[in-house]
Amino acid sequence: MKSPGLLFSMLVLAASAAIAQPWPTKPITIVIPQQAGSNSDGVIRPMGPLLQEILGQPIVFENRPGANGMIGAEYVARAKPDGYTLLLGASSVLVANAGLYKKVPYDPIKDFQPVAGVGRTSMMLVARSDFPAKTIDELVHYVKSAAKPVNVAYGSSTAQIAIALFSSSAGVRVNPIPYKGTPQLLTDLFGGVVQVGVVDVASAGAHLKSGRLVGLAITDAQRAASAPEVATLAERYPNATLISWTGLVAPKGTPPDVVDKIYQAVKVASADPEVNKRYATANITPSLLSPQELAKTLRDDLPRWEALMRAAGIERE
């Protein structure tokens, strides 16, 4: 039988060895708080193989959709801050929700540690190719002359704000229809259940090329390279812009050296030609941000989006 002193020494040595082990030593889970097939999936999944190679551990992608991304975000906010559970947080989840809801189960500043900005996009008003309106002016005319409010579907908080931006800018009233995500929205749009939808540019890309959808306007300050024929909302209504970003965040308290390791891995992956090729195919604009740059973007956008929502007449639910 081992003596108590020897047993204690063995435990100390084992604990010391565990502490000395470099991070990571087990699989890393990246929670995507949207449905599979969403733009967020397209932003992070192409990086998976490279991140796994660089960090030396499996990268597990887990979709946890629901409540405009709040279910997945809360899950990560409450996770252990050890770098093994990350959130692919979009501005819809970390910025828009704070202004849309009275009760949000996480604080975007206090509960998360920014790790790396990954991509950016803007929203696009789209309709089926047989819809009467083909431009933003024609849409405004159609909405104003319709006997009842036109249904406009959205699948994210950012898209909801984009609808409000369009309504307030054009001085029209529409009927916003919420969806759990873009995939189901597009299914119903193609099926004629709704007339107009607001989706991210990346999700619209392939359908614009196939001719199934027509782009009416985008909310970026300039036209998208993937759809130069679609005018910006700001061309008709100055300052009517809304840009969405996506980035990795970790639970607050995650060690700085772990945060830096993840950022450095994302930095290498984001420069990979194959990743960028897949981004171009999916109409995703890469946008690498350091932890400090992502933190500043988050701090700056919270009050700006809040003001936009209040000006558009959106009250907290």
Side-chain angles (χ1 to χ4, degrees):
M1 173 182 273
K2 295 182 175 67
S3 69
L6 178 59
L7 182 60
F8 177 76
S9 298
M10 291 173 66
L11 289 172
V12 169
L13 286 172
S16 298
I19 292 172
Q21 284 184 314
W23 183 95
T25 59
K26 63 181 181 179
I28 301 160
T29 297
I30 297 179
V31 174
I32 304 170
Q34 289 87 19
Q35 291 178 322
S38 66
N39 178 58
S40 294
D41 264 25
V43 168
I44 194 63
R45 287 183 185 270
M47 288 188 177
L50 265 178
L51 293 178
Q52 182 167 308
E53 181 181 335
I54 295 166
L55 295 172
Q57 291 292 334
I59 302 296
V60 179
F61 295 109
E62 183 178 337
N63 290 90
R64 282 180 173 257
N68 272 346
M70 289 191 283
I71 291 176
E74 181 184 17
Y75 174 80
V76 176
R78 307 293 173 249
K80 188 176 179 180
D82 54 10
Y84 291 106
T85 305
L86 307 173
L87 174 73
L88 185 69
S91 48
S92 59
V93 177
L94 296 175
V95 179
N97 284 348
L100 288 173
Y101 301 101
K102 294 178 181 177
K103 292 185 178 181
V104 178
Y106 53 85
D107 186 299
I109 300 293
K110 296 179 180 179
D111 290 338
F112 295 107
Q113 165 60 53
V115 176
V118 182
R120 65 185 286 268
T121 187
S122 59
M123 310 309 293
M124 181 183 290
L125 285 96
V126 296
R128 278 196 336 185
S129 57
D130 59 354
F131 188 68
K134 309 297 183 187
T135 67
I136 194 64
D137 285 336
E138 290 177 359
L139 175 62
V140 171
H141 176 74
Y142 180 87
V143 170
K144 287 183 176 180
S145 60
K148 57 181 180 180
V150 174
N151 291 334
V152 181
Y154 66 92
S156 71
S157 301
T158 305
Q160 181 181 3
I161 297 171
I163 293 174
L165 178 66
F166 162 67
S167 298
S168 60
S169 299
V172 296
R173 180 173 171 242
V174 298
N175 184 33
I177 305 294
Y179 277 80
K180 290 184 178 180
T182 298
Q184 185 59 50
L185 183 162
L186 288 171
T187 297
D188 280 5
L189 184 61
F190 292 137
V193 178
V194 291
Q195 298 158 287
V196 179
V198 176
V199 301
D200 55 86
V201 172
S203 296
H207 303 298
L208 294 176
K209 291 179 180 177
S210 70
R212 298 185 72 190
L213 289 182
V214 59
L216 303 170
I218 65 171
T219 63
D220 207 327
Q222 55 188 353
R223 297 192 182 199
S226 59
E229 74 282 1
V230 182
T232 68
L233 192 60
E235 288 176 38
R236 184 66 177 83
Y237 307 103
N239 301 319
T241 60
L242 188 71
I243 297 172
S244 176
W245 48 263
T246 305
L248 284 172
V249 297
K252 184 69 80 175
T254 300
D257 61 321
V258 172
V259 170
D260 185 62
K261 281 187 178 181
I262 301 170
Y263 167 67
Q264 295 299 334
V266 171
K267 184 177 180 179
V268 172
S270 66
D272 182 72
E274 186 59 34
V275 169
N276 280 277
K277 182 180 178 181
R278 292 184 63 181
Y279 276 7
T281 301
N283 301 309
I284 293 170
T285 302
S287 179
L288 178 70
L289 296 177
S290 69
Q292 296 76 22
E293 290 170 331
L294 182 56
K296 183 179 187 305
T297 298
L298 179 58
R299 289 195 305 269
D300 290 348
D301 277 2
L302 279 165
R304 187 172 66 84
W305 283 41
E306 167 81 12
L308 177 61
M309 283 182 262
R310 300 294 86 88
I314 298 178
E315 298 299 328
R316 285 186 172 87
E317 297 178 13

